[in-house]
Amino acid sequence: MLNQVYRLVDPRQFEVQTVAEEITNNDIIVRPRFLSVCHADTRYFTGQRPQATLRQKLPMALIHEGVGEVVKDPQDKFKPGTLVAMVPNTPFETDPIIKENYLPSSKFRSSGYDGFMQEYVSLHRDRAIVVPDNFDHQMSAFIEMVSVGVHALTQLEGVMDADRKVIGIWGDGNLGFITATLVKQIFPDSQLMIFGRHQSKLDYFSFADKTYLVDDIPNDLKVSQALECTGGRGSESAIAQIIQHIRPMGTAILMGVSEDPVGIDTRSVLAEGLTLRGVSRSGRADFQRAVDILTDSPVTRERLQNLVGFTRKVSTIQDITDFFEGALTNYWGKAVMEWDV
Ligand SMILES: NC(=O)C1=CN([C@@H]2O[C@H](COP(=O)(O)OP(=O)(O)OC[C@H]3O[C@@H](n4cnc5c(N)ncnc54)[C@H](OP(=O)(O)O)[C@@H]3O)[C@@H](O)[C@H]2O)C=CC1
Ligand SMILES: O=C(CO)[C@H](O)[C@H](O)COP(=O)(O)O
Ligand SMILES: [Zn+2]
């Protein structure tokens, strides 16, 4: 198949390239419909990754969050027109211990391999998860980020001690909001506390039990378990506050990506017997659990629809560039493009 792939060739510069692709009987062809931007994409778009990384990874099609319509299934199992969430992680082996998203041999789209900004996406058939008809399409575009939140909370369930009284989330942005909606479903009996930098963003977390500005947290406040959803330089102070406010033997799940190493007060981590668990990306099972949770919980779908922040139809390279520039200045919510190239 000859495919048109919309690749970032240099920071802020996209180019359409024609690529010959081999399609096997195990692949399906999907036409992308709604695509959502992750911070990882904006770091490539703006050239915030180190020069050596950019040299190694570009040219590359961005975007690893999206839904599309099945165009062709050689096995006729997916009907044409079926809306599917595309799983960006492509594993090439299985391991009894290591999950697919941590296997070094796996290929992750828009991080070294072409993402979803393509005319057609060829997917191994197990990389497509059917999206129910009653899901909002723009919300469905960021099911990948929901699956990352699901993966994080599944890891937390597996690692944490028996204390589920208070779950604290540091970060008042997209990942914090998504993870917070999931905490309400996965830990319904826990108190949910959000710690953020902006009152205007914290106001969106109306379903949380309590929200705090990070410079106004009571000294004696304690959480049982914590999730860090900040990233960048903000991770350092978020992790420091988590260490200060988590109960002994609690678990902190770290999700925010920082370009430079951040300092951690290991003396306190040791003294309090804390567990720090890094979490990155997600696998097929996390996508399926995410879709199941959304299917069973209309209120979660509604909350996540409120996270659609900036939307636009894109048809040309100029539209795509303008869209990414717009996403950079968008204050609240996910940037979702209707892919119409
Ligand atoms: N592990 C994974 O698989 C994934 C990781 N990520 C990463 O997660 C991070 C967050 O992404 P996203 O939610 O989309 O980004 P957002 O910018 O939407 O949200 C981050 C929010 O956290 C706030 N913040 C910064 N520092 C602190 C702090 N110390 N305490 C509390 N809040 C703070 C930011 O405020 P301000 O803007 O003022 O700094 C911002 O409002 C990024 O690094 C992203 O790359 C995203 C997806 C998956
Ligand atoms: O966003 C993510 C998953 O949804 C990850 O943070 C992202 O894949 C990290 O990739 P990179 O190493 O290219 O920044
Ligand atoms: Zn992402």
Side-chain angles (χ1 to χ4, degrees):
M1 171 178 85
L2 281 184
N3 197 14
Q4 303 282 88
V5 181
Y6 291 76
R7 288 179 168 150
L8 186 76
V9 290
D10 253 321
R12 290 189 148 86
Q13 207 181 325
F14 292 104
E15 221 175 80
V16 56
Q17 300 184 346
T18 304
V19 176
E21 290 176 14
E22 205 177 302
I23 314 298
T24 73
N25 201 40
N26 191 36
D27 299 326
I28 60 168
I29 308 295
V30 175
R31 171 103 179 97
R33 287 285 321 281
F34 291 91
L35 303 178
S36 171
V37 176
C38 176
H39 256 303
D41 298 308
T42 57
R43 288 191 291 266
Y44 289 110
F45 177 71
T46 53
Q48 278 173 295
R49 301 299 315 273
Q51 277 305 313
T53 306
L54 293 173
R55 270 200 305 278
Q56 186 199 346
K57 300 201 181 206
L58 303 187
M60 169 177 83
L62 298 183
I63 301 290
H64 56 264
E65 303 176 3
V67 286
E69 280 171 6
V70 175
V71 176
K72 189 173 166 50
D73 175 3
Q75 293 185 24
D76 280 333
K77 288 185 178 146
F78 287 94
K79 282 207 190 83
T82 306
L83 191 74
V84 293
M86 300 177 279
V87 181
N89 190 57
T90 309
F92 291 88
E93 59 176 325
T94 53
D95 187 278
I97 310 279
I98 304 172
K99 294 184 186 305
E100 61 162 81
N101 43 319
Y102 300 110
L103 282 170
S105 56
S106 293
K107 292 184 174 177
F108 193 84
R109 292 179 187 269
S110 95
S111 181
Y113 305 92
D114 282 325
F116 298 139
M117 284 185 22
Q118 311 188 25
E119 187 183 14
Y120 296 106
V121 174
S122 153
L123 286 178
H124 294 175
R125 61 183 51 253
D126 70 338
R127 301 293 101 187
I129 310 290
V130 174
V131 174
D133 291 340
N134 59 343
F135 279 25
D136 176 79
H137 288 187
Q138 298 192 337
M139 181 276 288
S140 302
F142 51 87
I143 284 176
E144 191 271 344
M145 202 182 236
V146 181
S147 77
V148 172
V150 164
H151 177 63
L153 294 175
T154 307
Q155 295 299 100
L156 181 61
E157 281 177 317
V159 177
M160 68 189 216
D161 60 24
D163 181 3
R164 297 178 165 213
K165 206 163 160 233
V166 183
I167 308 283
I169 293 181
W170 269 255
D172 49 11
N174 298 323
L175 191 60
F177 187 86
I178 287 172
T179 308
T181 64
L182 293 167
V183 165
K184 279 287 162 197
Q185 298 308 309
I186 296 176
F187 299 104
D189 300 325
S190 304
Q191 248 193 298
L192 171 63
M193 293 185 183
I194 313 296
F195 302 88
R197 272 188 173 164
H198 311 268
Q199 189 54 52
S200 55
K201 289 190 182 183
L202 287 172
D203 289 344
Y204 285 98
F205 293 72
S206 52
F207 54 89
D209 297 285
K210 205 93 181 90
T211 62
Y212 293 96
L213 285 167
V214 286
D215 57 5
D216 197 19
I217 306 178
N219 273 338
D220 59 350
L221 183 146
K222 291 287 174 201
V223 301
S224 313
Q225 319 292 342
L227 298 116
E228 179 273 319
C229 302
T230 61
R233 292 308 307 170
S235 287
E236 186 162 314
S237 53
I239 294 168
Q241 277 195 333
I242 288 172
I243 292 171
Q244 191 187 338
H245 290 284
I246 198 166
R247 291 202 175 99
M249 297 203 68
T251 293
I253 300 285
L254 309 184
M255 281 193 273
V257 176
S258 304
E259 214 52 67
D260 301 308
V262 299
I264 297 181
D265 170 14
T266 54
R267 171 175 280 270
S268 299
V269 173
L270 315 186
E272 300 199 17
L274 304 180
T275 301
L276 305 184
R277 166 60 72 99
V279 159
S280 184
R281 305 174 178 170
S282 60
R284 186 184 203 285
D286 304 303
F287 267 75
Q288 193 56 64
R289 192 176 180 197
V291 169
D292 291 346
I293 289 171
L294 295 174
T295 303
D296 293 344
S297 173
V299 71
T300 308
R301 295 204 301 274
E302 252 172 60
R303 283 171 186 159
L304 292 179
Q305 273 166 234
N306 285 333
L307 196 60
V308 177
F310 171 70
T311 64
R312 204 175 278 176
K313 190 188 260 197
V314 302
S315 308
T316 63
I317 293 273
Q318 189 58 51
D319 291 347
I320 297 170
T321 309
D322 292 346
F323 179 84
F324 271 81
E325 292 292 352
L328 291 177
T329 54
N330 179 46
Y331 178 70
W332 170 255
K334 294 291 287 178
V336 178
M337 58 183 139
E338 186 178 347
W339 188 246
D340 187 39
V341 296

